[in-house]
Amino acid sequence: MASVSNAGPSAGMSADGAKVNMAFVAAIVAVATIGGFMFGYDSGVINGTQEGLNKTFNLTEFGTGLNVAAILIGCAFGAFAAGRLADVWGRRTVMIISALLFVISALGTGAAHTSTIFVIFRLIGGLGVGAASVLCPVYISEVTPANIRGRLSSVQQIMIITGLTGAFLANYVLAHTAGSSTAEFWLGLPAWRWMFWMQVIPAGVFFFALLTIPESPRYLVAKGKDAQAEAILSRLFGAGTGAAKVAEIRASLNADHKPKFSDLLDPVTKKIRPILWAGLILAIFQQFVGINIVFYYGSVLWQSVGFTEDDSLKINILSGALSIVACLAAIALIDRIGRKPLLLIGSAGMAVTLGVLTWCFSTATTVNGALHLDGSVGPIALVAANLYVIFFNLSWGPVMWVMLGEMFPNQMRGSALAVAGFAQWIANFAISFSFPAMAKISLSMTYGFYAASAVVSFFLVQKLIHETRGKELEAMEG
């Protein structure tokens, strides 16, 4: 990457008055958040391919849940391993590995001719998604000024949603052009296979873009490479400030020992530190509110209550577009009103909208073996679902990732991210895997559980989550 001057219109100011090379910061954030795009694309591409998967592999409800949720097991292990591997190999190196995993998964899932092979390649993709999900936000938090860290880290969520929307749009175009997701497209192969192969393009961009950005200076200091870290920080904040920040990081690291998993326990009580419990609550309840049911099963859900496949894919695109707008609002607010207020607003809004959806689905009737929402209930459900998506992406969507990237002290950040990331993806798997079977029993009961989780999350945030707005990473307390 070419050198960028610290002066001129590209320079901003940090909270302590130091100059910030905003052009360099923006370039780094832009590259790192392509990982968020891949996270969203790889997660969302399954939405729209399920009819093809069901017909090709002759899947039951259990099989559908496994094929959809298999990626999440990979995500859990990818997230768990990434935090520790990033402490050993570096943040950028592990992100490069994740980009390669995205390419391998895209090629393999599109070519799979058995459910087992498909699941294996989805697991491989999940390793990449899991790694990107925890490392991209923490990398951003480690190279950006504290006073704008929340806004820049929130770009990750916009890119996740952009990736999801990109997958929805690509799926719609391919299915619409071919006639349906199972109709033949290029080379005589069904459109649903091309939906997976399209991922190779952004995955390749991510890989080559990562080669242009530097390693995290905090990682370099931890490895004794102070000169390299100072060079990067000097480009970001100016020579004098760069040297001071290296000294700050070095003092923080010298005050403690080499990071290890036992750091997650209180040295006196030997119990899990409260800060880790807070991180686990954020990670788990972000999934218990059921957001990925909309992202993974949206097409199937809307078809199940009377919409056509074509209309259902359009609804997915609408939800994605509204999500992006909500994320932009979160970026405008997160460093002004703080993380905790946004979480509380999101929990309250999701509880109400999920409650409306629960009522809507409780009124559904069965017509020719399929659920049907009568009269005005269908439009009400559609509006409630999209308001729910807006509240999530205004709050829990971006804020959870921002807080996990910044809330833990340097000493335990890698280990805590490994555990919180693992918990987040296991919760995601549990919700996504169980949905087909639960929905078959009762769709209203299923959404009632998500609504109850939103209510519980409000009180847990109120009691256990502490504000991190404006704090330097070295100032975070265990």
Side-chain angles (χ1 to χ4, degrees):
M1 183 178 290
S3 178
V4 183
S5 170
N6 286 327
S10 65
M13 301 292 284
S14 65
D16 57 6
K19 285 185 178 180
V20 178
N21 186 339
M22 289 307 300
F24 190 28
V25 170
I28 290 173
V29 171
V31 172
T33 53
I34 299 174
F37 182 92
M38 287 309 307
F39 170 1
Y41 200 110
D42 211 13
S43 299
V45 69
I46 198 75
N47 192 337
T49 66
Q50 289 166 46
E51 186 176 349
L53 293 171
N54 290 341
K55 287 184 177 179
T56 303
F57 303 146
N58 193 27
L59 300 175
T60 62
E61 283 84 5
F62 175 85
T64 298
L66 181 60
N67 276 258
V68 170
I71 188 174
L72 305 174
I73 295 296
C75 290
F77 286 98
F80 184 78
R84 298 298 297 150
L85 290 176
D87 284 339
V88 178
W89 296 341
R91 278 66 161 142
R92 190 186 75 147
T93 300
V94 179
M95 286 193 289
I96 288 172
I97 293 170
S98 74
L100 292 173
L101 294 175
F102 287 136
V103 174
I104 294 168
S105 174
L107 295 172
T109 50
H113 284 278
T114 69
S115 178
T116 301
I117 296 298
F118 180 84
V119 166
I120 289 171
F121 279 102
R122 286 292 278 174
L123 285 168
I124 291 171
L127 294 173
V129 172
S133 72
V134 297
L135 290 186
C136 292
V138 79
Y139 176 87
I140 293 169
S141 73
E142 290 184 346
V143 298
T144 53
N147 62 316
I148 57 171
R149 187 178 62 229
R151 275 172 279 173
L152 294 178
S153 296
S154 296
V155 175
Q156 167 83 349
Q157 182 66 14
I158 287 186
M159 291 298 282
I160 292 172
I161 300 302
T162 303
L164 282 162
T165 307
F168 298 158
L169 183 59
N171 287 359
Y172 170 74
V173 170
L174 288 168
H176 187 76
T177 303
S180 74
S181 60
T182 57
E184 287 188 2
F185 195 54
W186 291 329
L187 304 179
L189 295 166
W192 70 265
R193 292 190 181 276
W194 289 99
M195 293 176 184
F196 290 109
W197 286 330
M198 288 291 287
Q199 297 174 84
V200 173
I201 298 172
V205 171
F206 185 38
F207 174 81
F208 288 109
L210 283 169
L211 302 179
T212 70
I213 64 174
E215 182 52 82
S216 162
R218 283 178 172 82
Y219 165 78
L220 292 172
V221 173
K223 289 298 180 181
K225 300 178 180 180
D226 291 24
Q228 291 181 41
E230 185 176 339
I232 295 166
L233 288 166
S234 294
R235 288 185 67 188
L236 288 166
F237 305 110
T241 304
K245 285 189 175 293
V246 168
E248 232 177 75
I249 297 168
R250 172 59 59 198
S252 172
L253 293 171
N254 286 343
D256 220 321
H257 51 270
K258 185 178 179 181
K260 56 183 184 293
F261 270 107
S262 61
D263 294 326
L264 302 178
L265 302 178
D266 186 287
V268 177
T269 66
K270 303 302 179 184
K271 295 180 179 179
I272 294 175
R273 291 177 185 264
I275 191 70
L276 180 58
W277 280 120
L280 288 171
I281 285 167
L282 290 173
I284 292 170
F285 275 87
Q286 194 214 38
Q287 293 304 311
F288 275 16
V289 296
I291 189 62
N292 281 319
I293 299 309
V294 175
F295 292 144
Y296 298 161
Y297 292 102
S299 178
V300 173
L301 173 64
W302 295 118
Q303 287 181 70
S304 74
V305 293
F307 291 87
T308 65
E309 181 186 57
D310 196 63
D311 286 340
S312 296
L313 291 171
K314 288 177 183 176
I315 292 170
N316 287 341
I317 296 170
L318 172 63
S319 296
L322 291 172
S323 296
I324 293 172
V325 172
C327 287
L328 289 171
I331 285 179
L333 295 171
I334 193 167
D335 284 321
R336 294 182 181 179
I337 70 172
R339 285 68 161 147
K340 187 170 181 176
L342 284 178
L343 290 172
L344 293 170
I345 290 168
S347 292
M350 288 189 294
V352 173
T353 51
L354 285 167
V356 172
L357 281 170
T358 301
W359 170 78
C360 288
F361 292 133
S362 72
T363 69
T365 56
T366 303
V367 179
N368 296 325
L371 288 178
H372 179 72
L373 295 177
D374 297 322
S376 62
V377 179
I380 291 173
L382 188 58
V383 171
N386 281 297
L387 285 174
Y388 158 66
V389 166
I390 288 171
F391 275 113
F392 177 84
N393 286 290
L394 178 66
S395 58
W396 282 77
V399 174
M400 186 213 73
W401 293 113
V402 169
M403 291 200 72
L404 288 187
E406 69 183 13
M407 69 189 289
F408 302 115
N410 281 339
Q411 183 64 32
M412 61 183 291
R413 187 172 298 122
S415 299
L417 276 170
V419 173
F422 182 82
Q424 199 266 352
W425 288 110
I426 289 296
N428 192 334
F429 174 81
I431 294 297
S432 303
F433 177 71
S434 64
F435 176 74
M438 288 178 66
K440 189 174 183 180
I441 298 170
S442 172
L443 201 54
S444 61
M445 175 197 73
T446 305
Y447 273 81
F449 172 78
Y450 305 149
S453 296
V455 172
V456 172
S457 73
F458 180 91
F459 294 104
L460 288 174
V461 167
Q462 204 171 38
K463 183 175 177 62
L464 300 174
I465 302 301
H466 299 287
E467 186 59 65
T468 56
R469 176 169 63 112
K471 286 187 178 181
E472 291 290 346
L473 297 185
E474 283 67 46
M476 299 296 175
E477 297 179 359

